[in-house]
Amino acid sequence: METNQNMQEELERLKRENERLKKQKEKGKELSLKVSQKGAVSLYGMGRFPVTLYKEQWLRLLDFSDDIRCFIGEHEGELKTKS
């Protein structure tokens, strides 16, 4: 009986852990970077496919980040969020 009780407790613990991991995954994928086969930088975790740009493109985009933030702020009412 004690072994059965231990197994039941372990099963309940694993169910809780599984639910925690599912919720963590739903919150959003973690972002990661890799160097592509062609020597570009690929950003994973934004969507189904990676966003891949060459180094100079990423740097240009990063330099433009303040403008992107302002644009999003100005058009907040028109923009949707992905849930």
Side-chain angles (χ1 to χ4, degrees):
M1 293 273 186
E2 188 174 325
T3 304
N4 193 20
Q5 178 67 25
N6 289 344
M7 288 177 63
Q8 189 65 31
E9 288 173 3
E10 180 67 8
L11 178 61
E12 291 303 317
R13 185 190 69 76
L14 290 172
K15 284 181 182 179
R16 287 190 306 271
E17 177 71 9
N18 192 28
E19 284 302 313
R20 185 186 68 78
L21 291 171
K22 283 181 184 178
K23 287 179 184 176
Q24 185 179 18
K25 184 178 179 182
E26 289 171 3
K27 287 182 182 177
K29 292 183 178 179
E30 196 170 304
L31 299 178
S32 64
L33 296 168
K34 294 182 182 176
V35 176
S36 74
Q37 290 179 346
K38 294 184 178 182
V41 178
S42 295
L43 173 66
Y44 289 81
M46 294 293 293
R48 185 174 177 185
F49 299 104
V51 177
T52 302
L53 300 171
Y54 288 99
K55 176 179 69 173
E56 64 277 2
Q57 293 172 308
W58 279 112
L59 295 174
R60 187 173 174 202
L61 181 64
L62 290 169
D63 290 341
F64 196 62
S65 66
D66 289 337
D67 295 295
I68 295 170
R69 289 180 190 279
C70 285
F71 182 86
I72 290 171
E74 291 169 1
H75 297 275
E76 188 68 39
E78 303 168 56
L79 300 171
K80 296 183 180 185
T81 58
K82 185 177 176 182
S83 33

